[in-house]
Amino acid sequence: QSALQALKAHVVSDPQKILETNWSITTSVCNWVGVTCGSQHQRVIALNLSNMLLTGTLPPQIGNLSFLTSLNLMNNSFHGSLPIQLANLHRWRFIELGENYFYEEIPSWFDSFPKLQYLSLSANKFTGQIPSDMFEILPKLQSLNLGMNNLSGKIPIDLLKCKELQFINLESNRLEGILPKEIGNLTMLRSLHLNNNRIQGKRKKIILFRIAR
């Protein structure tokens, strides 16, 4: 409860008054809008605040939700950097932070989530290079969406070690260099979006690469 109260306190605008009217300490957090608890231990396992038009920042206390497996903040106005305390959430399987205003570089501690299957940081303000070491321990990653940011540099080779990848979206960044030939080792890959970058194939610029099975 204290972790979610800290998140509520960091929300500076709640135009639909969802948190204001529903997140009350007089009721169990398991009954709060957007909160899902486990059936056995009654601990918070999922937090879905998508499309609530919230404005605010993420407090470090979120890292205390040790049973959290899913976080969806899509289409809000959360901003600032991602607190390092999120690296404590080793059970994460689903992370959707798309269409917010998170900035600075993508933290390399995403390699702390060996069970992670879905990661979307699209349509934010992330800058810098995609950290190569964040992919070293993501064996279950199936979907990666980093499109529509301000990322630069090359596609990290370590990304291609995630053999379960089915979907990759890196479009609308400032990436450059040659598309690694090791992309062919991703036998599960169905769709790869690279348009609006400066990534080159052997002969021409890559606009959209889609694999159909």
Side-chain angles (χ1 to χ4, degrees):
Q1 186 184 76
S2 61
L4 295 182
Q5 283 182 291
L7 174 58
K8 180 181 178 181
H10 279 69
V11 171
V12 298
S13 177
D14 178 11
Q16 302 178 79
K17 300 187 183 302
I18 296 175
L19 305 189
E20 179 181 332
T21 58
N22 185 266
W23 283 26
S24 171
I25 60 174
T26 61
T27 60
S28 168
V29 296
C30 297
N31 295 323
W32 291 5
V33 169
V35 178
T36 301
C37 292
S39 58
Q40 296 180 345
H41 46 64
Q42 293 296 295
R43 302 288 293 273
V44 176
I45 61 172
L47 187 60
N48 185 352
L49 304 182
S50 60
N51 303 303
M52 292 186 179
L53 307 179
L54 303 173
T55 300
T57 58
L58 291 184
Q61 290 89 337
I62 293 294
N64 295 331
L65 297 174
S66 57
F67 281 78
L68 197 67
T69 64
S70 176
L71 176 65
N72 189 345
L73 301 179
M74 184 178 182
N75 193 22
N76 285 288
S77 294
F78 285 98
H79 56 276
S81 57
L82 300 176
I84 191 174
Q85 288 80 3
L86 296 181
N88 298 329
L89 305 179
H90 302 298
R91 290 181 168 88
W92 252 345
R93 299 178 185 272
F94 180 98
I95 303 174
E96 172 61 85
L97 303 181
E99 299 182 46
N100 283 280
Y101 295 94
F102 293 111
Y103 56 79
E104 297 185 350
E105 296 185 355
I106 296 176
S108 60
W109 44 251
F110 274 102
D111 67 352
S112 302
F113 314 129
K115 298 181 179 180
L116 190 62
Q117 298 176 350
Y118 180 99
L119 173 61
S120 175
L121 306 177
S122 64
N124 277 281
K125 302 293 183 182
F126 287 108
T127 61
Q129 298 186 10
I130 302 173
S132 179
D133 51 357
M134 71 178 281
F135 301 107
E136 290 182 358
I137 314 177
L138 293 179
K140 297 185 180 297
L141 189 64
Q142 298 177 12
S143 180
L144 175 69
N145 189 350
L146 304 180
M148 300 178 67
N149 281 288
N150 294 309
L151 300 172
S152 58
K154 299 180 180 180
I155 297 176
I157 293 295
D158 283 346
L159 169 62
L160 307 179
K161 296 178 181 179
C162 302
K163 300 300 184 181
E164 299 296 316
L165 274 169
Q166 301 177 25
F167 175 86
I168 301 174
N169 185 359
L170 304 176
E171 66 183 6
S172 299
N173 282 287
R174 295 184 291 117
L175 300 173
E176 58 187 10
I178 304 296
L179 181 67
K181 64 180 181 179
E182 289 85 357
I183 195 75
N185 296 333
L186 300 180
T187 58
M188 302 293 290
L189 192 63
R190 298 294 184 271
S191 188
L192 172 61
H193 298 259
L194 302 173
N195 50 304
N196 296 324
N197 283 289
R198 291 177 289 176
I199 298 172
Q200 303 288 325
K202 286 186 177 181
R203 296 183 180 178
K204 61 182 180 180
K205 188 175 182 179
I206 303 295
I207 302 300
L208 172 64
F209 180 47
R210 184 182 297 276
I211 302 173
R213 302 292 185 189

